[in-house]
Amino acid sequence: MQSSGPADPRSVLMKGGGLSDMFGGGMQSSVGGSSVAERNLDRITVVVGLLWFACIVVLGLLMKLDG
Protein backbone atom coordinates (compact mmCIF):
# COMPACT_ATOMS: atom_id res chain seq x y z
CA MET A 1 0.00 0.00 0.00
CA GLN A 2 1.46 3.33 -1.03
CA SER A 3 1.01 6.50 1.04
CA SER A 4 -0.31 9.48 -0.91
CA GLY A 5 1.43 12.18 1.12
CA PRO A 6 1.71 13.90 4.48
CA ALA A 7 -2.07 14.38 4.76
CA ASP A 8 -2.66 10.64 4.47
CA PRO A 9 -4.53 9.56 7.63
CA ARG A 10 -2.45 6.40 7.94
CA SER A 11 0.85 8.29 8.06
CA VAL A 12 -0.49 10.80 10.59
CA LEU A 13 -1.94 8.13 12.85
CA MET A 14 1.23 6.00 12.61
CA LYS A 15 3.35 8.93 13.80
CA GLY A 16 1.14 9.21 16.86
CA GLY A 17 -0.13 12.69 16.05
CA GLY A 18 -3.80 11.84 15.97
CA LEU A 19 -6.62 13.65 14.27
CA SER A 20 -5.63 17.10 15.50
CA ASP A 21 -2.33 16.89 13.60
CA MET A 22 -4.12 15.70 10.49
CA PHE A 23 -6.37 18.78 10.48
CA GLY A 24 -3.66 21.29 11.42
CA GLY A 25 -4.16 21.33 15.18
CA GLY A 26 -0.65 20.10 15.84
CA MET A 27 1.05 23.20 14.46
CA GLN A 28 2.68 25.39 17.07
CA SER A 29 1.73 29.06 17.11
CA SER A 30 4.59 31.53 17.00
CA VAL A 31 2.50 34.09 18.91
CA GLY A 32 2.73 33.78 22.68
CA GLY A 33 -0.82 34.88 23.50
CA SER A 34 -4.23 34.65 21.95
CA SER A 35 -4.96 36.67 18.87
CA VAL A 36 -7.59 39.38 18.82
CA ALA A 37 -9.94 37.15 16.84
CA GLU A 38 -9.62 34.34 19.40
CA ARG A 39 -10.31 36.71 22.30
CA ASN A 40 -13.33 38.18 20.52
CA LEU A 41 -14.65 34.71 19.77
CA ASP A 42 -14.17 33.76 23.43
CA ARG A 43 -16.10 36.84 24.54
CA ILE A 44 -18.92 36.17 22.08
CA THR A 45 -19.11 32.55 23.25
CA VAL A 46 -19.36 33.57 26.90
CA VAL A 47 -22.03 36.19 26.16
CA VAL A 48 -24.11 33.75 24.09
CA GLY A 49 -23.79 31.12 26.83
CA LEU A 50 -24.95 33.55 29.51
CA LEU A 51 -27.88 34.68 27.36
CA TRP A 52 -28.80 31.04 26.70
CA PHE A 53 -28.72 30.29 30.43
CA ALA A 54 -30.81 33.38 31.23
CA CYS A 55 -33.42 32.41 28.63
CA ILE A 56 -33.68 28.90 30.10
CA VAL A 57 -34.17 30.30 33.61
CA VAL A 58 -36.78 32.84 32.46
CA LEU A 59 -38.69 30.21 30.45
CA GLY A 60 -38.59 27.86 33.43
CA LEU A 61 -40.00 30.55 35.71
CA LEU A 62 -42.70 31.42 33.21
CA MET A 63 -43.73 27.77 32.92
CA LYS A 64 -43.76 27.39 36.69
CA LEU A 65 -45.88 30.51 37.22
CA ASP A 66 -48.24 29.65 34.36
CA GLY A 67 -48.98 26.11 35.49
Side-chain angles (χ1 to χ4, degrees):
M1 205 182 292
Q2 200 172 22
S3 178
S4 62
D8 185 21
R10 293 177 306 234
S11 66
V12 171
L13 293 175
M14 282 188 201
K15 281 193 319 188
L19 290 177
S20 64
D21 279 346
M22 187 169 73
F23 292 109
M27 297 187 315
Q28 295 295 323
S29 175
S30 62
V31 180
S34 297
S35 69
V36 174
E38 285 177 304
R39 284 184 297 210
N40 287 338
L41 187 58
D42 288 343
R43 287 183 189 128
I44 292 170
T45 304
V46 168
V47 168
V48 168
L50 291 173
L51 287 173
W52 186 271
F53 181 75
C55 286
I56 291 172
V57 170
V58 168
L59 286 173
L61 290 172
L62 287 174
M63 287 176 64
K64 185 176 180 180
L65 294 175
D66 192 33

